[in-house]
Amino acid sequence: MATAAVNKTPGNAGTKRRFKLWLMFIVLFMGWAGYTIFGQMQQKTATGVKLTTIQGQLDASTKETEALKRQIERLNDPEYIEQLATKEQGMVKEGEQQIFSD
């Protein structure tokens, strides 16, 4: 019986040492994983802000493109060109008079 008690103490100490090493490994791994996740969350936030900004610019460009397309279509109409000439350049047809209002 005395031999069994003596053998358990060194085996028990080795088990405790392995458990402490295993626990230290787990703690270090979890610390690294937490650090990595936190860094990725910050990158995700920054990327989301960039995405929102670029989408806003894309929407503005799309609206501007549509407005320019409408303008091009309207410029193909002779009546619209006549209106622009009258409003912006002060041109009138022969026999017409331009009326100014203050």
Side-chain angles (χ1 to χ4, degrees):
M1 277 278 175
T3 324
V6 173
N7 286 339
K8 280 195 173 190
T9 307
N12 202 5
T15 303
K16 284 183 181 180
R17 188 179 319 128
R18 280 190 298 259
F19 181 73
K20 285 181 183 179
L21 285 172
W22 179 250
L23 188 61
M24 187 169 53
F25 172 75
I26 295 295
V27 168
L28 288 174
F29 178 77
M30 294 303 280
W32 170 80
Y35 176 77
T36 302
I37 289 172
F38 182 72
Q40 288 178 353
M41 286 186 342
Q42 287 180 334
Q43 287 179 348
K44 179 184 172 200
T45 303
T47 304
V49 169
K50 287 181 185 178
L51 177 65
T52 304
T53 303
I54 291 172
Q55 281 180 339
Q57 291 173 350
L58 181 64
D59 291 341
S61 296
T62 304
K63 287 179 183 177
E64 184 179 354
T65 302
E66 292 299 320
L68 290 173
K69 283 181 182 178
R70 279 191 307 257
Q71 183 74 12
I72 289 171
E73 288 175 9
R74 291 168 72 189
L75 284 172
N76 290 330
D77 183 18
E79 189 174 317
Y80 180 71
I81 293 173
E82 185 180 316
Q83 287 177 357
L84 282 179
T86 304
K87 283 183 183 177
E88 294 180 3
Q89 302 295 322
M91 297 179 166
V92 291
K93 292 181 180 179
E94 284 187 30
E96 292 182 355
Q97 271 190 328
Q98 191 171 12
I99 301 174
F100 297 101
S101 64
D102 294 326

